[in-house]
């Protein structure tokens, strides 16, 4: 162990109160689950009442409701008549109808959305401090590092300093490790304990090299080994140490004290398997071993990234556990986040590719006017079409399709589909368009600028910084400008080029120094 790490270990032994753990993360996710469950109960009741009252087969008997129930029904959009003019949903082939707008329900949808726990997923070479800082500044509540190899991390001080770093003041940080044995996982947990808020065991990486090494998705076939690693991590934590901290979870500015668990929360990130019974058994063994929560990716290890997420399978796993379950996969904007939460019952939602495209994808302002004041998008060479959900359209394609060349606003209203039972063949999907809830379909210039300012501080020589900038700013750059930026090797040069192009702005949430 290097001298720097040894000094921190000695400081931890003398004063445990310096831990960055100021929030009980399992309780934060469980609170989000309760908010989703309450909303689902109200929606199901409203849907049953509307369908029973609008059935054409037989006149429905008047349904007695209490005063409180009538108030709740008035605050939610009603389900349209299933037999009215409906369309076919492109994904599932089921009929859907638009719910009538109800502005009195907007505050309840916004309250649900503010209760969700958004998590930035671990991504190879991308979950660097600068990216984590920007995601936290624009809406995520928990951050992940990229996967660390536990064996190398324990043995090599050089690997520790090269692979793991934090920005100043970072909290709610989960470190993901890949381990094959309980002792190695426990040693890595002891080293990382002073610097993070939780440890995640990677049991879902589908890459061939990881499976060949016996880590990642290969561990799905060895639940006993994973349970042993979870127990080893929990047993390595000291007992009887309690740190009191003030709860501060971003939106809730409560000043009351909260007891933070002294142990390092252990999380297991898994993928579903073709045999769902094995997935449920795997999750149960992890829970019995002491996992604080499980993150379930709704695709199998052999599925391509574009495959549909199996929300019903994730929901079944969640219903068979008593610890919280976080959903990973299929969350790309505010609308899909709302739909995924309602379909699975998960209040914790994790996103990877969506945040790479737009680190502010979870940000939802108080109104469209306020979002337009806080965000600027400048000019982009091609037309952006909200119907296409993001992809650019060249002028030639615009002329061929006969669409107007008029530029559209990069802000679009929040809209999502929901039905009580989407697995049923005759399920009616209701499209909810929430008044006064808007989302950015294009990465704002302020977010790109914040990322560059943060990268210059912490990731000045990281080559992936330019690749991430090109992905965020793809709609603002011409092919020649993209090629020019791709050839640059200095982040300072990238910053100067973005300033000349007009993508970089001084405003944002991360200030210049």
């Amino acid at each position: 162990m290097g001298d720097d790490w040894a000094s921190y270990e000695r400081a931890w032994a003398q004063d445990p109160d310096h831990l960055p753990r100021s929030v009980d993360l399992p309780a934060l996710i469980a609170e989000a689950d309760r908010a989703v469950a309450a909303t689902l109960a109200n929606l199901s009741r409203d849907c049953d009442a509307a369908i029973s009252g609008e059935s054409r087969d037989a006149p429905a008997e008047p349904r007695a409701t209490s005063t409180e129930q009538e108030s709740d029904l008035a605050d939610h959009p009603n389900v349209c008549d299933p037999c009215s003019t409906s369309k076919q949903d492109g994904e599932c082939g089921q009929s859907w109808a638009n719910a009538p707008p109800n502005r009195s329900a907007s505050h309840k949808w916004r309250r649900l959305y503010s209760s969700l726990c958004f998590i930035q997923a671990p991504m190879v070479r991308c979950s660097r401090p600068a990216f984590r800082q920007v995601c936290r500044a624009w809406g995520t509540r928990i951050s992940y590092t990229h996967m660390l190899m536990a064996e190398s991390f324990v043995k090599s001080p050089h690997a520790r300093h090269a692979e793991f770093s934090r920005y100043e003041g970072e909290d709610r940080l989960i470190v993901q490790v890949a381990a094959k044995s309980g002792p190695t996982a426990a040693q890595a947990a002891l080293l990382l304990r002073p610097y993070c808020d939780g440890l995640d065991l990677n049991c879902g990486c589908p890459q061939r090299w990881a499976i060949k090494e016996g880590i990642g998705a290969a561990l799905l076939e060895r639940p006993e080994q994973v349970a042993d690693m979870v127990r080893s991590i929990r047993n390595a934590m000291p007992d009887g140490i309690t740190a009191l901290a003030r709860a501060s979870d971003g939106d809730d500015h409560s000043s009351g004290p909260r007891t933070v668990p002294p142990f390092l929360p252990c999380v297991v990130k898994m993928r579903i398997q073709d045999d769902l019974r094995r997935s449920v058994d795997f999750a149960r063994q992890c829970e019995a071993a002491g996992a604080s929560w499980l993150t379930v990716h709704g695709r199998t290890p052999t599925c391509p990234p574009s495959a549909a997420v199996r929300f019903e399978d994730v929901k079944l796993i969640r219903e068979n556990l008593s610890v919280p379950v976080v959903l990973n996969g299929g969350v790309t904007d505010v609308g899909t986040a709302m739909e995924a939460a309602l379909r699975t019952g998960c209040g914790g939602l994790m996103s990877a590719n969506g945040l790479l495209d737009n680190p502010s994808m979870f940000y939802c302002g108080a109104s469209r006017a306020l979002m337009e004041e806080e965000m600027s998008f400048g000019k982009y060479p091609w037309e952006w079409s909200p119907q296409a959900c993001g992809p650019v359209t060249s002028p030639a394609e615009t002329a061929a399709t006969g669409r107007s060349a008029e530029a559209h606003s990069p802000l679009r209203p929040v809209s999502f589909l929901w039905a009580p039972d989407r697995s049923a063949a005759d399920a009616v999907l209701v499209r909810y368009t929430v008044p006064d809830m808007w989302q950015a379909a294009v990465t704002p210039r302020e977010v790109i600028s914040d990322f560059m300012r943060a990268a210059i501080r912490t990731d000045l020589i990281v080559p992936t910084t330019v690749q991430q900038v090109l992905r965020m700013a793809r709609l603002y750059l011409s092919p020649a400008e993209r090629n020019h930026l791709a050839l640059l090797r200095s982040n300072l040069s990238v910053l100067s080029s973005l300033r000349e192009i007009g993508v970089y702005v001084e405003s944002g949430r991360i200030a210049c120094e």
Side-chain angles (χ1 to χ4, degrees), residues 199-249:
L199 195 75
D200 179 277
L201 290 176
N202 187 349
C203 301
C205 180
Q207 299 186 39
R208 293 181 180 178
W209 70 267
I211 296 177
K212 185 177 180 180
E213 290 289 333
I215 58 177
L219 294 172
L220 294 175
E221 306 295 332
R222 297 189 285 272
E224 296 83 3
Q225 182 177 344
V226 177
D228 178 69
M229 289 190 286
V230 174
R231 279 190 294 266
S232 298
I233 293 173
R234 294 298 297 269
N235 293 336
M237 296 297 109
D239 295 328
I241 302 176
T242 303
L244 290 178
R246 294 189 179 275
S248 175
D249 57 2

Side-chain angles (χ1 to χ4, degrees), residues 96-329:
W96 64 273
N98 288 316
N102 186 348
R103 292 191 174 273
S104 64
S106 178
H107 71 283
K108 288 199 171 184
W109 289 119
R110 184 174 292 279
R111 184 171 60 186
L112 168 65
Y113 187 74
S114 63
S115 300
L116 299 178
C117 184
F118 300 117
I119 304 173
Q120 167 248 309
M123 291 167 279
V124 179
R125 294 184 298 274
C126 293
S127 298
R128 303 286 303 179
F131 183 73
R132 300 198 303 261
Q133 185 177 8
V134 172
C135 289
R136 282 294 307 276
W138 287 93
T140 60
R141 305 178 75 177
I142 299 176
S143 302
Y144 266 73
T145 68
H146 59 274
M147 182 180 68
L148 307 180
M149 301 299 295
E151 187 173 357
S152 301
F153 192 84
V154 169
K155 293 181 178 180
S156 171
H158 175 73
R160 292 195 287 270
H161 289 279
E163 294 296 326
F164 177 70
S165 59
R166 298 168 53 215
Y167 61 86
E168 184 179 359
E170 184 173 14
D171 62 350
R172 303 188 195 179
L173 176 64
I174 307 294
V175 178
Q176 186 180 70
V177 298
K180 294 186 287 187
S181 66
T184 302
Q187 292 179 48
L190 288 174
L191 285 172
L192 289 164
R193 183 183 59 196
Y195 313 103
C196 65
D197 300 84
L199 195 75
D200 179 277
L201 290 176
N202 187 349
C203 301
C205 180
Q207 299 186 39
R208 293 181 180 178
W209 70 267
I211 296 177
K212 185 177 180 180
E213 290 289 333
I215 58 177
L219 294 172
L220 294 175
E221 306 295 332
R222 297 189 285 272
E224 296 83 3
Q225 182 177 344
V226 177
D228 178 69
M229 289 190 286
V230 174
R231 279 190 294 266
S232 298
I233 293 173
R234 294 298 297 269
N235 293 336
M237 296 297 109
D239 295 328
I241 302 176
T242 303
L244 290 178
R246 294 189 179 275
S248 175
D249 57 2
D251 296 324
D252 182 13
H253 298 284
S254 173
S255 59
R258 176 178 295 179
T259 300
V260 179
F263 57 84
L264 192 69
C266 182
V267 188
V268 176
K269 189 173 186 294
M270 57 175 286
R271 282 179 176 251
I272 60 175
Q273 303 180 64
D274 292 324
D275 187 353
L276 192 56
R277 293 173 297 181
R278 300 181 62 185
S279 297
V280 173
D281 178 69
F282 181 92
R284 283 176 172 173
Q285 292 196 45
C286 294
E287 177 188 16
S292 299
W293 75 82
L294 279 85
T295 301
V296 181
H297 192 128
R299 301 183 181 95
T300 64
T302 57
C303 280
S306 59
V309 178
R310 291 155 59 172
F311 292 112
E312 289 74 17
D313 294 351
V314 178
K315 179 181 179 181
L316 181 61
I317 294 175
R318 183 190 63 81
E319 292 173 345
N320 281 274
L321 300 179
S322 59
V323 296
V325 170
V326 171
L327 168 69
N328 181 208

Side-chain angles (χ1 to χ4, degrees), residues 282-507:
F282 181 92
R284 283 176 172 173
Q285 292 196 45
C286 294
E287 177 188 16
S292 299
W293 75 82
L294 279 85
T295 301
V296 181
H297 192 128
R299 301 183 181 95
T300 64
T302 57
C303 280
S306 59
V309 178
R310 291 155 59 172
F311 292 112
E312 289 74 17
D313 294 351
V314 178
K315 179 181 179 181
L316 181 61
I317 294 175
R318 183 190 63 81
E319 292 173 345
N320 281 274
L321 300 179
S322 59
V323 296
V325 170
V326 171
L327 168 69
N328 181 208
V331 179
T332 57
D333 54 26
V334 177
T336 55
M338 299 278 279
E339 181 176 349
L342 295 177
R343 291 185 63 179
T344 62
C346 297
L349 303 173
M350 178 179 286
S351 178
N353 287 322
L355 288 173
L356 284 177
D357 292 334
N358 182 8
S360 64
M361 60 167 277
F362 288 132
Y363 178 74
C364 185
S367 66
R368 179 178 182 177
L370 291 178
M371 289 190 70
E372 289 177 343
E373 290 180 4
E374 192 170 7
M375 298 179 174
S376 62
F377 300 90
K379 298 180 180 180
Y380 29 90
W382 293 340
E383 174 196 4
W384 174 81
S385 172
Q387 291 82 4
C389 299
V392 295
T393 304
S394 65
E397 294 173 340
T398 302
T401 56
R403 290 188 302 177
S404 172
E406 180 183 358
H408 295 276
S409 170
L411 296 178
R412 61 186 178 192
V414 174
S415 178
F416 57 92
L417 294 171
W418 181 81
D421 184 11
R422 295 189 65 164
S423 60
D426 57 347
V428 178
L429 306 180
V430 184
R431 179 174 294 280
Y432 291 86
T433 300
V434 185
D436 298 328
M437 282 189 69
W438 294 79
Q439 58 190 352
V442 179
T443 308
R445 294 190 299 170
E446 286 77 7
V447 176
I448 302 172
S449 305
D450 280 347
F451 176 73
M452 286 305 306
R453 286 190 284 268
I456 288 175
R457 297 176 186 175
T458 60
D459 301 323
L460 186 60
I461 59 175
V462 178
T464 56
T465 299
V466 177
Q467 300 174 12
Q468 290 180 271
V469 169
L470 291 176
R471 184 164 181 171
M472 296 177 195
R474 66 194 184 281
L475 296 182
Y476 301 106
L477 306 175
S478 65
E481 291 168 338
R482 285 198 296 268
N483 293 336
H484 171 71
L485 288 174
L487 295 176
L488 298 179
R489 292 293 180 265
S490 168
N491 289 336
L492 291 174
S493 301
V494 174
L495 178 61
S496 300
S497 299
L498 292 177
R499 192 190 302 271
E500 294 177 3
I501 296 171
V503 176
Y504 180 84
V505 294
E506 297 293 340
S507 58

Side-chain angles (χ1 to χ4, degrees), residues 29-56:
I29 298 175
E31 183 179 354
D33 286 350
R34 289 191 292 270
V36 175
T39 302
L40 283 171
N42 289 334
L43 282 177
S44 299
R45 184 183 59 199
D46 299 349
C47 184
D48 293 342
I51 291 180
S52 63
E54 297 178 4
S55 175
R56 294 186 178 182

